Amino acid sequence: MNARSPRVLTAFSLVVAVLAVSSSGPLIAFATAPALAIAFWRNGLATVVLTPVTLGRRRGELTGGGRRALTFCLLAGVALAAHFATWMPSVQLGSVATATALGATQPVWQGLIAAGQGRRPSTAGWIGIALAVGGAAWTTGLDVGVSGTAVLADVLAVFGAIFAAVYTALGEQARATLSTTTYTWICYGSCAVLLLLVCLIGGVRLGGYDNRTWAAILALVAGAQLLGHSMFNYALQRTSATTVSVLILLEVPGAALLAWLWLGQQPRVDALPGLGLLLAGVVVVILGATRANRPVVDPARTD
């Protein structure tokens, strides 16, 4: 094999992964189904796809992983369900670009969680947090003049990012003894069960959708839920977690461009400085965490 092949494959996997996760927001907005139902189906179907591998060559991990790891997996599943139950409705209620950008603040909240655990962010980390919060405030403040629904969408997106950070913090504990496949199978499965219960109790319609909606749901499963996750993890074999974490932020302009070309959601010019400030802050947080030798955001995508 040519010496350049691994580098080419890594670059290709990163391009595919970014495109896959960038499609998440536009596909959710495109689908004419309740957000909670979409969240259930994408996690449930992903669990079905992962089942043969987990119950095959990974079966030993289910019994040998230990009660502590299993508990953290289940708690991560609860946090993931909370993430989907907040972030996905924000995409349908507001702008894909804004919801994706606010969802990308996950590393900021992870930094604050680390601070609460006694691992203080570096000076650069605090600066990045301030920049990201300022950018989020700028964007949300502009939406106050648009509608109450737009503000609600922003608030839900922020909560979605917070729950994603909690999900990752819990996942770090579980993945100390479990493989990524086993961890995600348990996590996605428990998330799907919880979302199913919420949908049934709340009377959320789980079927009867048109073909384009089912196509969008299947694309979400294959793209953002499975392909993006897999490609990012493949790239981690030959590039740093910091590089991957920063490249993940390309999802924001990617989702905005797809929403513009496909759904006609033209980005608001007055919101661009706030979104730019937000993303700059997230980059500073990631780089600050790396210099302080603390884990950066888990490349496994949730959105």
Side-chain angles (χ1 to χ4, degrees), residues 54-124:
T54 307
L55 297 185
R57 61 175 184 237
R58 301 288 187 186
R59 186 189 308 174
E61 293 185 18
L62 296 176
T63 55
R67 183 178 297 179
R68 183 176 183 273
L70 179 60
T71 299
F72 276 113
C73 282
L74 295 175
L75 290 175
V78 173
L80 184 60
H83 161 72
F84 282 125
T86 48
W87 184 77
M88 290 180 66
S90 76
V91 176
Q92 293 186 332
L93 291 172
S95 159
V96 169
T98 302
T100 305
L102 291 173
T105 59
Q106 176 184 343
V108 171
W109 306 109
Q110 281 186 247
L112 293 175
I113 289 173
Q117 295 173 334
R119 296 179 291 165
R120 298 286 179 181
S122 63
T123 301

Side-chain angles (χ1 to χ4, degrees), residues 236 239-247 286-287 290 296:
L236 278 172
T239 191
S240 71
T242 303
T243 300
V244 172
S245 298
V246 173
L247 286 175
I286 293 172
L287 296 179
T290 303
V296 294

